[in-house]
């Protein structure tokens, strides 16, 4: 057998001729199975485990309530086409980039970007910070799902009817002015204040639910991916079972066809709206979990030769199809809800007409349909009559439009905890459907929560050996800290803080993180070298189109998204939706000054590690260069630790040369792997002086 030549065709080129990366991977003898540099890295038991973990993380609550809402508000089928376009040209390439980097370097987000250059280590720390922000409020939503699931085991459901005031024996005014589901959500579940400035006391029931949510997360992750992966088999698959059950049940409902028609009817004029593009790009960004570090963490437990390109395409397609499936269910339910509201409106108007008839009124605009049996009157018949004589009827007779009800968009928690709960109250055996729905939300939230926590724990354990040796203690401590800080969200004004974190704590920092990730791979390390490394890892070369997508299209898209988000924040101003108890309605309020300062601090703290790491690395390198003795020590340490194919120096006597099999690819100047799956990761610190001469870092 002959030695395999370099893949770029230059058989005689040495490491020095090709250039060096900031950190090199030196192959060591070992079995062909995946392992880390310390030989103790966990690995997935099977490919299905890994796929379920990635799908479970990327498919979350946003697929159920954010994507359908955006379709509802932005042209239905037209928004879907725009979403698919951005998914293909931006989402999939960036997702593939993170998968490839994590799988080959076999570390969390901190280690991956430090591996390219110590100056880039701040990217990983920013990812960890944002993951912690998201984990704080995401577990509160899981706590809400636990609360509703617990209240589903009673008949009738507690949100089916308005309660009665025991003193006056009348319906509670706040409930009568809104709806039973809205009253239960705002008053019974949250016991919400009128604004963020009224903090109120802690909600004891929600505090207990939050403690239970964090306990579930801690128990599921206490043994790392070995324990969380087993939970994934249920938490990732069960939501699909429930969605298909709801789809089949929903297709039998009156109004399902109207809902589906409304969903897919394209309004292409929305493509000219810049904000629609911004919302579509943001949804692609968050749907795939880019920038969190969780994608990198999960892929770091893969064998090096795993086909991560196929994984990127598969997970992206599953994510999109899940969003479409969830949207079908949501629009069917909304169509059924709108049809019921419209028919209820018809019945109320006909009862008024009956009163007029009993008074002897005989107007020429009197309805031609059968007034003796109002149940036989269709919505179309009533609307046709109303449009002919609307100018002649009194103000008590109103229009009953299904389209108008469908146009009332319900977003986020309002969709899950108000609109859906209202619909399920109409179902036969409503407690069963309610428990099933909130169990689905619970599993969707938990699978995403596991990935979010993995984006925190894996980088910390990889980067700090002390934490890596105390995995259980780190997991429990992180969950305990999350619960303590999460008490902010269990006070009566807690829902407003959840909205604040959801809207502002993650968006801008994550976009900044992904911009720096793209710059580091496409412009610092180089797309050609990156594709070379992937070719060695996958045994085939990805299409060259990725080179141009990474260098230009993705980077331009992310910078545009950052600019659009900043401009919108500056010109529109941060606002939130509050519940007014006296009027029993929602209203839009501006954040007070201290809340604006809190928003700015959240964004700054999450983004700060990137420039701080860069400045620290520059200062440290200059200080090291100005100290000759330390430079000499560093050079001596490198001579002891490195074996360079291009070097004319002989290795020290105690250093054993690395032997390669004939069919093995020689080490290359890459941060990606080169054929063998056991590597010794050489120190970043020791190679920092060389960085100034042949810098591949920011």
């Amino acid at each position: 057998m002959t030695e395999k030549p370099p893949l770029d065709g230059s058989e005689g080129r040495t490491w020095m001729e090709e250039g060096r990366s900031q950190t090199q991977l030196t192959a060591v003898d070992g079995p062909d199975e995946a392992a880390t540099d310390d030989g103790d890295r966990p690995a997935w038991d099977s490919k299905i485990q890994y796929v379920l973990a990635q799908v479970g993380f990327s498919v979350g609550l946003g697929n159920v309530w954010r994507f359908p809402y955006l379709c509802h508000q932005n042209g239905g089928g037209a928004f879907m086409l725009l979403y698919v376009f951005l998914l293909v040209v931006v989402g999939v390439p960036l997702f593939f980039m993170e998968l490839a980097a994590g799988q080959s370097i076999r570390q969390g987000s901190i280690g991956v970007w430090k591996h390219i250059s110590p100056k880039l280590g701040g990217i990983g720390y920013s990812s960890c910070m944002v993951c912690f922000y998201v984990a704080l409020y995401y577990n509160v939503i899981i706590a809400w799902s636990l609360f509703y699931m617990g209240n589903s085991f009673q008949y009738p459901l507690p949100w089916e009817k308005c309660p009665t005031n025991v003193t006056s024996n009348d319906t509670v005014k706040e409930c009568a002015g809104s709806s039973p589901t809205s009253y239960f959500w705002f008053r019974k579940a949250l016991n919400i204040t009128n604004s963020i400035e009224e903090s109120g006391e802690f909600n004891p029931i929600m505090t207990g639910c939050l403690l239970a949510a964090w306990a579930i997360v801690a128990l599921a992750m206490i043994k790392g991916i070995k324990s969380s992966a087993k939970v994934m088999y249920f938490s990732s698959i069960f939501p699909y079972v429930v969605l298909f059950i709801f789809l089949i049940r929903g297709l039998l409902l009156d109004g399902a066809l109207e809902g589906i028609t409304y969903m897919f009817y394209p309004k292409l004029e929305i493509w000219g709206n810049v904000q629609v593009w911004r919302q579509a790009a943001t949804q692609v960004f968050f749907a795939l979990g880019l920038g969190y570090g969780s994608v990198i963490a999960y892929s770091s437990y893969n064998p090096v030769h795993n086909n991560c390109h196929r994984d990127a395409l598969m997970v992206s397609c599953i994510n999109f199809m899940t969003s479409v499936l969830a949207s079908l269910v949501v629009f069917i339910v909304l169509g059924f809800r709108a049809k019921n509201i419209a028919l209820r409106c018809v019945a109320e108007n006909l009862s008024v007409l009956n009163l007029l008839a009993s008074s002897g009124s005989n107007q020429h605009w009197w309805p031609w349909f059968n007034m003796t049996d109002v149940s036989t009157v269709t919505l179309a018949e009533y609307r046709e009559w109303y449009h002919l004589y609307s100018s002649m009827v009194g103000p008590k007779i109103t229009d009953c439009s299904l389209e108008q009800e469908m146009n009332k968009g319900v977003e986020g928690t309002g969709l899950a905890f108000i609109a859906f709960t209202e619909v399920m109250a109409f179902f036969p055996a409503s407690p069963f459907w309610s428990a099933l729905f909130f169990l689905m939300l619970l599993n969707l939230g938990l699978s995403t929560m596991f990935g979010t926590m993995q984006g925190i724990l894996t980088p910390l354990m990889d980067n700090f050996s002390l934490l890596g040796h105390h995995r259980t203690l780190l997991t429990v401590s992180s969950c305990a800290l999350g619960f303590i800080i999460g008490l902010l969200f269990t006070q009566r004004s807690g829902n407003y803080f959840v909205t604040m974190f959801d809207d502002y704590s993650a968006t801008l920092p994550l976009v900044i993180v992904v911009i720096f990730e793209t710059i580091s791979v496409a412009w610092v390390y180089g797309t050609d070298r990156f594709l070379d490394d992937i070719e060695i890892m996958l045994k085939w070369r990805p299409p060259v189109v990725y080179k141009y997508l990474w260098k230009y299209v993705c980077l331009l898209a992310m910078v545009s998204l950052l600019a659009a988000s900043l401009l919108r924040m500056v010109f529109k101003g941060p606002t939130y939706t509050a519940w007014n108890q006296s009027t029993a309605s929602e209203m839009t309020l501006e954040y007070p000054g201290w809340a604006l300062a809190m928003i700015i601090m959240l964004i700054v703290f999450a983004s700060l590690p990137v420039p701080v790491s860069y400045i620290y690395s520059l200062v440290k390198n200059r200080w090291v260069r100005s100290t000759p003795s330390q430079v000499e020590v560093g050079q001596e340490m490198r001579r002891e630790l490195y074996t360079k194919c291009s070097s004319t120096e002989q290795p020290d006597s105690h250093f054993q040369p690395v032997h390669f099999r004939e069919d093995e690819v020689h080490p290359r100047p890459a941060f990606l792997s080169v054929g063998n799956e056991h590597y010794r990761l050489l120190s970043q610190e020791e190679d920092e002086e060389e960085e100034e001469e042949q810098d591949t870092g920011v």
Side-chain angles (χ1 to χ4, degrees):
M1 293 178 66
T2 58
E3 210 169 50
K4 187 176 179 180
L7 293 170
D8 58 3
S10 53
E11 301 184 16
R13 283 168 58 179
T14 64
W15 284 20
M16 293 294 288
E17 289 169 335
E18 290 182 345
R20 289 185 297 247
S21 66
Q22 288 294 87
T23 308
Q24 297 167 346
L25 292 174
T26 304
V28 296
D29 293 333
D32 195 41
E33 291 303 316
T36 55
D37 47 87
D38 58 4
D40 191 35
R41 188 172 190 80
W44 300 105
D45 291 337
S46 63
K47 181 63 177 283
I48 188 66
Q49 240 184 32
Y50 164 70
V51 172
L52 286 176
Q54 288 285 21
V55 170
F57 169 67
S58 64
V59 175
L61 297 173
N63 297 77
V64 174
W65 62 42
R66 181 65 179 166
F67 184 86
Y69 168 77
L70 292 174
C71 285
H72 183 277
Q73 292 296 100
N74 298 312
F79 179 83
M80 285 192 179
L81 292 175
L82 180 59
Y83 179 87
V84 171
F85 171 73
L86 292 175
L87 181 68
V88 171
V89 300
V90 178
V92 172
L94 292 176
F95 191 60
F96 176 41
M97 182 184 76
E98 289 197 358
L99 286 179
Q103 178 175 303
S104 36
I105 298 177
R106 307 182 61 73
Q107 289 197 40
S109 55
I110 296 175
V112 162
W113 306 113
K114 268 191 174 182
H115 198 68
I116 299 178
S117 168
K119 296 176 183 177
L120 301 176
I123 298 176
Y125 288 104
S126 287
S127 295
C128 289
M129 183 70 74
V130 174
C131 279
F132 188 65
Y133 286 165
V134 173
L136 288 176
Y137 76 83
Y138 213 87
N139 231 18
V140 177
I141 302 175
I142 295 175
W144 294 341
S145 301
L146 281 172
F147 174 79
Y148 266 82
M149 190 174 70
N151 278 276
S152 297
F153 296 100
Q154 49 185 305
Y155 187 82
L157 292 171
W159 51 80
E160 281 193 21
K161 296 180 180 179
C162 286
T164 303
N165 193 319
V166 291
T167 56
S168 61
N169 207 27
D170 294 329
T171 302
V172 174
K173 183 179 179 182
E174 185 181 359
C175 184
S178 54
S179 68
T181 51
S182 296
Y183 176 80
F184 186 86
W185 167 241
F186 289 113
R187 190 56 49 215
K188 296 296 184 181
L190 302 178
N191 193 19
I192 200 166
T193 58
N194 290 328
S195 72
I196 197 173
E197 297 183 85
E198 304 173 26
S199 61
E201 64 277 3
F202 285 106
N203 186 328
I205 298 178
M206 280 303 170
T207 303
C209 290
L210 182 63
L211 179 61
W214 277 110
I216 294 171
V217 173
L219 290 173
M221 301 195 65
I222 201 164
K223 297 297 182 183
I225 63 169
K226 294 297 184 183
S227 58
S228 63
K230 291 180 175 60
V231 181
M232 285 289 182
Y233 281 112
F234 180 77
S235 64
S236 297
I237 296 175
F238 180 74
Y240 289 96
V241 176
V242 176
L243 284 174
F244 276 109
I245 292 175
F246 269 98
L247 178 63
I248 295 170
R249 178 67 181 87
L251 289 173
L252 303 177
L253 297 174
D254 187 22
L257 183 60
E258 288 86 346
I260 294 175
T261 303
Y262 190 93
M263 170 184 171
F264 285 106
Y265 183 78
K267 301 174 183 176
L268 300 180
E269 63 272 11
I270 61 101
W271 287 0
N273 189 334
V274 176
Q275 288 304 317
V276 175
W277 283 79
R278 182 190 65 82
Q279 290 179 331
T282 304
Q283 181 61 22
V284 169
F285 183 82
F286 283 106
L288 296 177
L290 300 173
Y292 284 88
S294 304
V295 172
I296 294 174
Y298 275 155
S299 63
S300 71
Y301 299 115
N302 268 337
V304 174
H305 294 305
N306 172 66
N307 192 339
C308 56
H309 182 261
R310 182 177 57 198
D311 294 343
L313 296 175
M314 178 172 57
V315 173
S316 300
C317 288
I318 292 175
N319 188 292
F320 172 67
M321 295 309 298
T322 305
S323 297
V324 174
L325 173 62
S327 297
L328 275 172
V329 173
V330 167
F331 274 85
I332 286 173
V333 168
L334 291 180
F336 170 70
R337 176 174 177 262
K339 190 75 171 284
N340 269 275
I341 293 174
L343 289 175
R344 197 159 54 228
C345 169
V346 170
E348 291 173 356
N349 282 293
L350 291 179
S351 65
V352 174
L353 288 173
N354 271 325
L355 290 175
L356 292 174
S358 62
S359 65
S361 175
N362 187 18
Q363 304 291 340
H364 68 278
W365 45 262
W366 198 252
W368 62 79
F369 41 73
N370 184 11
M371 288 289 295
T372 58
D373 186 7
V374 295
S375 62
T376 62
V377 180
T378 65
L379 181 61
E381 287 177 339
Y382 175 83
R383 295 206 69 204
E384 183 182 356
W385 168 82
Y386 182 83
H387 287 156
L388 287 173
Y389 301 107
S390 59
S391 59
M392 304 177 186
V393 298
K396 291 185 178 181
I397 308 299
T398 59
D399 190 13
C400 300
S401 172
L402 186 146
E403 292 78 11
Q404 187 176 357
E405 291 298 329
M406 285 294 297
N407 284 333
K408 295 178 181 177
V410 186
E411 181 184 9
T413 54
L415 177 63
F417 299 106
I418 297 178
F420 257 86
T421 52
E422 181 180 334
V423 170
M424 286 181 293
F426 292 110
F427 287 2
S430 54
F432 167 77
W433 294 103
S434 179
L436 195 65
F437 174 73
F438 288 109
L439 184 59
M440 178 193 72
L441 287 189
L442 178 64
N443 282 275
L444 280 172
L446 284 175
S447 59
T448 301
M449 189 67 188
F450 295 152
T452 304
M453 290 299 294
Q454 206 69 58
I456 302 171
L457 300 177
T458 297
L460 293 178
M461 289 187 293
D462 287 343
N463 203 58
F464 303 101
S465 58
L466 180 63
L467 297 178
H469 294 146
H470 299 85
R471 180 193 306 271
T472 301
L473 181 60
L474 175 64
T475 302
V476 174
S477 300
S478 300
C479 292
L481 179 63
F483 168 71
I484 293 172
I485 301 177
L487 293 175
L488 170 70
F489 306 106
T490 63
Q491 55 184 337
R492 292 182 58 196
S493 60
N495 184 53
Y496 303 135
F497 289 97
V498 171
T499 303
M500 176 195 293
F501 272 67
D502 188 30
D503 289 342
Y504 301 107
S505 70
T507 306
L508 291 179
L510 279 181
V511 174
I512 293 171
V513 164
V514 176
I515 287 174
F516 276 99
E517 286 182 359
T518 310
I519 291 174
S520 63
V521 169
W523 293 96
V524 176
Y525 188 75
T527 50
D528 288 325
R529 295 175 67 192
F530 190 68
L531 289 172
D532 288 343
D533 299 332
I534 296 177
E535 182 176 4
I536 293 174
M537 184 173 67
L538 302 185
K539 309 288 181 65
W540 60 273
R541 191 176 186 85
V544 71
V545 67
Y546 282 110
K547 171 181 177 180
Y548 301 102
L549 290 175
W550 286 328
K551 290 187 73 173
Y552 305 110
V553 179
C554 293
L555 189 58
L556 179 62
M558 298 312 298
V559 171
S560 300
L561 177 59
L562 177 63
S565 301
L566 283 172
L567 290 174
R568 183 174 183 271
M569 182 181 294
V570 170
F571 289 107
K572 186 178 179 181
T575 59
Y576 68 101
T577 302
W579 177 258
N580 189 299
Q581 184 175 359
S582 59
T583 61
S585 61
E586 292 181 320
M587 54 185 179
T588 301
L589 300 178
E590 294 183 354
Y591 283 104
W594 62 266
L596 291 174
M598 186 175 177
I599 291 173
I600 294 172
M601 287 174 60
L602 289 173
I603 296 173
V604 170
F605 284 162
S607 308
L608 202 58
V610 177
V612 167
S613 175
Y614 180 77
I615 295 171
Y616 172 77
S617 182
L618 286 179
V619 172
K620 186 176 180 181
N621 285 338
R622 290 179 181 177
W623 182 76
V624 169
R625 286 192 340 185
S626 65
T627 312
S629 60
Q630 293 187 3
V631 174
E632 293 171 4
V633 171
Q635 291 174 343
E636 183 64 23
M637 290 175 67
R638 283 209 307 278
R639 281 198 294 271
E640 293 178 0
L641 289 175
Y642 287 73
T643 298
K644 301 183 179 179
C645 295
S646 63
S647 176
T648 58
E649 298 177 345
Q650 295 298 323
D652 295 339
S653 59
H654 67 276
F655 192 92
Q656 297 298 322
V658 178
H659 299 285
F660 299 94
R661 297 190 302 272
E662 292 186 27
D663 59 343
E664 201 172 42
V665 180
H666 286 284
R668 306 186 62 230
F671 70 87
L672 296 181
S673 57
V674 292
N676 218 353
E677 296 185 9
H678 274 254
Y679 301 93
R680 178 165 57 84
L681 180 62
L682 302 185
S683 171
Q684 296 285 345
E685 305 270 341
E686 295 156 4
D687 207 26
E688 286 180 347
E689 181 209 1
E690 185 179 42
E691 174 189 343
E692 294 299 315
E693 300 172 2
Q694 297 184 0
D695 188 11
T696 60
V698 174

